[in-house]
Amino acid sequence: MYIWGVRDDEWGDGLMENDDTMILEVDNIVSGYTDLDILHGISIGIESGEIVSIIGPNGSGKSTLMKTIFGLLRIRDGRIVFKGEDITGIMPERIVRKGMGYVPQEKEFFSSLTVLENLEMGAFISDCDISESLERVYRIFPVLAEKGRIRAGALSGGEQRMVGFGRALMLSPDLLLLDEPSAGLAPKMRDMVFGKIIEINRSGTSILIVEQNAKRSLAISDRGYVLEMGRNRFEGAGCELLENEDVLRLYLGG
Amino acid sequence: MQLIINGLVIGSIIAITAIGLSMIYKTLNFVNFAHGDFVAFAAYIAFFANKELGVHLAVAFLIAILATMLLGVSMEKVVWRPMRRKKASRTALIIISIGFALVLRNTLLFIWGGSTRCYDIPVRRGFDFFGATITHNQVLVIIVAFILMFLLHYLLSRTMIGKAMRALSDNIDLARISGINVDQVILWTWVIGLGLAASGGVLYGLVTAIRPSMGWYLLLPMFAAIILGGIGNPYGTIAGGMVIGLSQELSTAVLPTEYKFAVSFVVMAVMLLIKPEGLFGGAK
């Protein structure tokens, strides 16, 4: 009994190395657009329950990596494993079913649909009653419950971002991909978004963020990856990267 | 008054035929030039079933709608879906649709000839309505068109598939990201859009002579209606159709009848100049 106890502890400490706790592994991926590779062999990993940030200068392939993970771009080489299952090259709709959500950078909501309809579209593939999912999303974003019948296009920027988040959360994904979640928002709204990201993460969703606002993003992240020209450049714990001089100088503006 | 009634009749036909064109335009990002010929196709199928097979016009109406939907679904499966897979350019798609329009129109011409046709229905006296004469057929057109618009409204605002159709025409990439089976919803968009176009075609045959080019000439007012109402906005398209129908007919009070179609051109051009996103918003 005692021995088991010790083993459990050791197991706990060894989480970083244990593949079973990895929710997403991207292994040496090469992908891009029709005639142009953007990613030249990127590898990242996210453990269950983590917030992971991807930072890097413009054109380093951050958004491309997200689209690739979500099955929106053709993968030329490499492998993506989600919850122990190879999902390389499968269609987005199947990836959604397996428990991944994605909030794209632009046009992250259906502007001519009402708030409620946006959320319903997030659960389109679900056969069950969606009222529970709605409740859960409303608990995180109470304002969406009040504005259910308003066209999403008529909302403020911050509220539209919440609609985008809410839509992606309808199926309670195990992993949520966020592409520039704070871009184009007023400072107050940014605080709100980062606060919500932590809240969503605490409820058990692992999160992968791509962010221009790298300092804020790394500050709430367990780990981060720095990309450059479609390749891995640095990786480390969030606070570690924030203190790394090279990273500071190159990507965080001193 | 007479002109207003005529305008409402033609307006409701333009409205229900144009909705499908508008939704497909916005969803798939190309103009289906064969849309008008689907309208004519439906009228001919109804004519064939009604006059040559001798079934009641109501049954012929349903047969025509089903036949048109079937043709549309086969087109989607055989042509449009494979072309999307190949990432065909918009120009290529438009040229294919023009080619298909020609094939369809000339097939109608080949089978039934160029002479005008009409359904096998009794000619009845119209009745007076505030000094204007309104025929039974006109009443029928307006009633059926409004029922269809109501059904469409119900479909788009109350059912999941209808909402998904709107979602696709709003933002197809996000629909894909949300896990919606995009191909399946596109198929439904064709079915609904062409079903409405076919209904419009059969109704059109009630108030005008059936001829192979009837749909082709309806395409211009349809475009005008779509642009007026905002591309991809079904409600705007209905309003746009009414405005175009009314302005076409009312113009005959001051202009020679031959200029009727020019009016839709002018309305469309003015609209594009002053408010290109349409009266009620839509695609930019």
Side-chain angles (χ1 to χ4, degrees):
Chain A
M1 276 315 197
Y2 178 73
I3 293 170
W4 275 109
V6 170
R7 278 201 177 166
D8 271 341
D9 282 346
E10 278 178 357
W11 216 14
D13 287 337
L15 276 179
M16 293 292 277
E17 279 73 40
N18 194 327
D19 270 3
D20 290 347
T21 64
M22 292 294 251
I23 188 159
L24 183 80
E25 287 169 89
V26 174
D27 186 16
N28 219 5
I29 216 83
V30 178
S31 88
Y33 300 88
T34 322
D35 324 298
L36 180 70
D37 285 342
I38 306 284
L39 308 180
H40 309 282
I42 295 234
S43 300
I44 64 165
I46 303 166
E47 283 173 41
S48 225
E50 269 191 324
I51 300 181
V52 171
S53 281
I54 300 195
I55 61 172
N58 280 333
S60 58
K62 301 178 304 252
S63 293
T64 309
L65 177 60
M66 288 231 160
K67 289 181 187 156
T68 305
I69 294 172
F70 215 72
L72 295 166
L73 295 175
R74 182 168 293 175
I75 296 168
R76 237 179 273 277
D77 197 17
R79 216 164 69 101
I80 301 175
V81 178
F82 179 53
K83 296 199 283 190
E85 216 178 322
D86 193 330
I87 59 160
T88 317
I90 74 170
M91 305 278 288
E93 61 190 70
R94 286 185 52 205
I95 294 183
V96 172
R97 278 179 201 276
K98 289 184 192 299
M100 204 190 296
Y102 176 32
V103 184
Q105 182 179 359
E106 283 174 331
K107 298 199 225 156
E108 74 276 25
F109 56 94
F110 298 106
S111 58
S112 65
L113 270 58
T114 66
V115 170
L116 178 60
E117 285 169 343
N118 264 275
L119 299 179
E120 285 174 345
M121 287 302 110
F124 184 79
I125 58 171
S126 156
D127 301 321
C128 339
D129 187 18
I130 63 163
S131 54
E132 233 168 83
S133 310
L134 280 173
E135 294 255 315
R136 197 166 31 77
V137 168
Y138 290 156
R139 262 202 304 278
I140 306 174
F141 301 109
V143 67
L144 297 186
E146 294 160 27
K147 305 208 166 178
R149 302 183 67 87
I150 298 179
R151 244 172 18 91
L155 299 175
S156 73
E159 289 166 340
Q160 288 176 340
R161 199 61 49 91
M162 293 185 215
V163 173
F165 272 57
R167 197 214 83 249
L169 286 171
M170 281 298 284
L171 295 173
S172 346
D174 299 310
L175 173 65
L176 187 61
L177 311 183
L178 303 172
D179 197 345
E180 305 277 358
S182 80
L185 293 181
K188 210 173 138 194
M189 278 294 146
R190 283 189 187 177
D191 295 344
M192 182 279 295
V193 164
F194 283 110
K196 292 299 177 188
I197 292 173
I198 295 172
E199 191 181 330
I200 294 164
N201 177 249
R202 291 220 174 107
S203 71
T205 303
S206 312
I207 292 177
L208 179 66
I209 314 176
V210 158
E211 222 352 303
Q212 286 285 342
N213 196 342
K215 281 185 184 170
R216 288 294 298 274
S217 175
L218 284 173
I220 64 161
S221 295
D222 297 294
R223 287 181 309 116
Y225 290 86
V226 181
L227 304 189
E228 190 185 48
M229 305 285 283
R231 291 191 169 79
N232 287 67
R233 183 73 194 266
F234 297 102
E235 63 177 274
C239 48
E240 218 173 275
L241 286 178
L242 276 173
E243 285 159 11
N244 182 309
E245 277 182 22
D246 288 334
V247 176
L248 272 176
R249 188 165 38 83
L250 285 167
Y251 310 114
L252 302 177
Chain B
M1 193 64 208
Q2 185 71 55
L3 293 177
I4 292 178
I5 290 170
N6 293 349
L8 279 179
V9 170
I10 192 74
S12 22
I13 289 170
I14 294 171
I16 60 173
T17 49
I19 290 165
L21 183 61
S22 175
M23 293 188 72
I24 287 292
Y25 185 173
K26 186 76 196 299
T27 308
L28 299 183
N29 197 20
F30 86 96
V31 178
N32 177 22
F33 275 88
H35 196 78
D37 297 287
F38 277 104
V39 171
F41 173 78
Y44 269 96
I45 294 294
F47 159 76
F48 173 74
N50 176 237
K51 191 114 177 192
E52 293 177 14
L53 299 181
V55 304
H56 189 271
L57 190 61
V59 181
F61 179 74
L62 293 178
I63 294 176
I65 291 175
L66 287 177
T68 313
M69 285 174 171
L70 199 66
L71 185 63
V73 167
S74 346
M75 274 296 278
E76 159 69 8
K77 294 218 161 166
V78 176
V79 182
W80 305 123
R81 191 175 295 176
M83 290 312 274
R84 279 203 301 281
R85 294 262 186 285
K86 285 184 185 158
K87 306 215 185 303
S89 74
R90 191 169 158 162
T91 323
L93 296 178
I94 289 175
I95 290 172
I96 293 171
S97 80
I98 294 176
F100 187 68
L102 291 170
V103 170
L104 197 52
R105 199 177 326 142
N106 286 292
T107 307
L108 297 177
L109 192 62
F110 180 72
I111 300 176
W112 285 290
S115 55
T116 59
R117 308 292 182 127
C118 54
Y119 305 127
D120 186 17
I121 40 172
V123 179
R124 280 184 287 184
R125 258 180 63 104
F127 39 85
D128 280 343
F129 186 75
F130 293 107
T133 313
I134 178 163
T135 67
H136 284 89
N137 286 353
Q138 286 180 320
V139 176
L140 197 63
V141 168
I142 293 182
I143 291 175
V144 175
F146 274 89
I147 292 175
L148 288 171
M149 287 175 206
F150 178 77
L151 288 178
L152 177 79
H153 168 71
Y154 182 82
L155 176 87
L156 291 178
S157 62
R158 295 280 184 279
T159 67
M160 278 309 256
I161 190 75
K163 290 175 193 177
M165 283 163 61
R166 278 165 55 220
L168 242 69
S169 94
D170 183 307
N171 189 338
I172 194 164
D173 292 327
L174 190 61
R176 196 171 279 128
I177 289 168
S178 305
I180 296 172
N181 183 337
V182 169
D183 279 334
Q184 196 192 342
V185 179
I186 288 175
L187 201 62
W188 274 101
T189 309
W190 280 109
V191 165
I192 302 300
L194 288 180
L196 286 169
S199 325
V202 179
L203 294 178
Y204 198 31
L206 280 172
V207 293
T208 185
I210 302 170
R211 55 191 194 286
S213 60
M214 64 190 281
W216 179 249
Y217 285 115
L218 204 60
L219 204 56
L220 178 65
M222 279 194 247
F223 277 136
I226 291 172
I227 287 168
L228 209 58
I231 293 161
N233 178 343
Y235 304 106
T237 305
I238 292 175
M242 291 300 178
V243 172
I244 294 294
L246 282 170
S247 50
Q248 273 192 5
E249 292 302 323
L250 290 175
S251 74
T252 58
V254 284
L255 289 169
T257 325
E258 302 85 73
Y259 290 108
K260 210 151 81 169
F261 286 109
V263 173
S264 8
F265 245 140
V266 172
V267 173
M268 184 164 81
V270 170
M271 195 64 202
L272 282 173
L273 281 175
I274 56 171
K275 204 164 181 293
E277 72 273 21
L279 282 178
F280 311 96
K284 301 286 175 329

